[in-house]
Amino acid sequence: MLRTPTDQTRLRILAWLKEPGPAADGVTADAVAERFSMPRPVAVTHLRLLQATGMLRTSRSAGREHYHRDEMRIAEVARMFEKGW
């Protein structure tokens, strides 16, 4: 699940979610699809994989799922890779 496509889409999504602005409050799959010029089902797949690895958490607002970075989990994974895991 941690495999990254050659275009590094998942890393770009995580980086975007770290930026101040709309992404800082969480984004929908539609927003990711629009931002990265991809079909919504592809965006959903990327977001669900990031959620499954614990890098994203979700919340619901107005009946829509919003994705947010999980900073503690991202730091934990970064430490594992730094140790040569």
Side-chain angles (χ1 to χ4, degrees), residues 5-25:
T6 55
D7 68 357
Q8 299 185 346
T9 301
R10 291 182 203 122
L11 291 176
R12 292 184 331 180
I13 292 169
L14 286 172
W16 180 50
L17 286 170
K18 191 172 185 177
E19 293 176 7
D25 296 325

Side-chain angles (χ1 to χ4, degrees), residues 5 14 17-18 21 25 35 48-50 57-58 60-61 64-68 77 79-80 84:
L14 286 172
L17 286 170
K18 191 172 185 177
D25 296 325
R35 168 74 177 193
R48 286 187 179 157
L49 285 169
L50 287 167
R57 56 185 169 77
T58 61
R60 291 195 72 76
S61 175
R64 303 203 55 187
E65 197 163 36
H66 292 260
Y67 294 85
H68 312 265
V77 170
R79 281 191 302 276
M80 284 191 291

Side-chain angles (χ1 to χ4, degrees), residues 27-77:
V27 296
T28 63
D30 290 330
V32 172
E34 182 178 328
R35 168 74 177 193
F36 295 100
S37 301
M38 65 178 67
R40 186 181 188 286
V42 173
V44 168
T45 297
H46 286 300
L47 292 167
R48 286 187 179 157
L49 285 169
L50 287 167
Q51 182 184 11
T53 60
M55 307 254 194
L56 295 181
R57 56 185 169 77
T58 61
S59 63
R60 291 195 72 76
S61 175
R64 303 203 55 187
E65 197 163 36
H66 292 260
Y67 294 85
H68 312 265
R69 287 172 53 105
D70 186 330
E71 297 299 337
M72 289 178 53
R73 177 65 177 154
I74 291 170
E76 180 182 301
V77 170

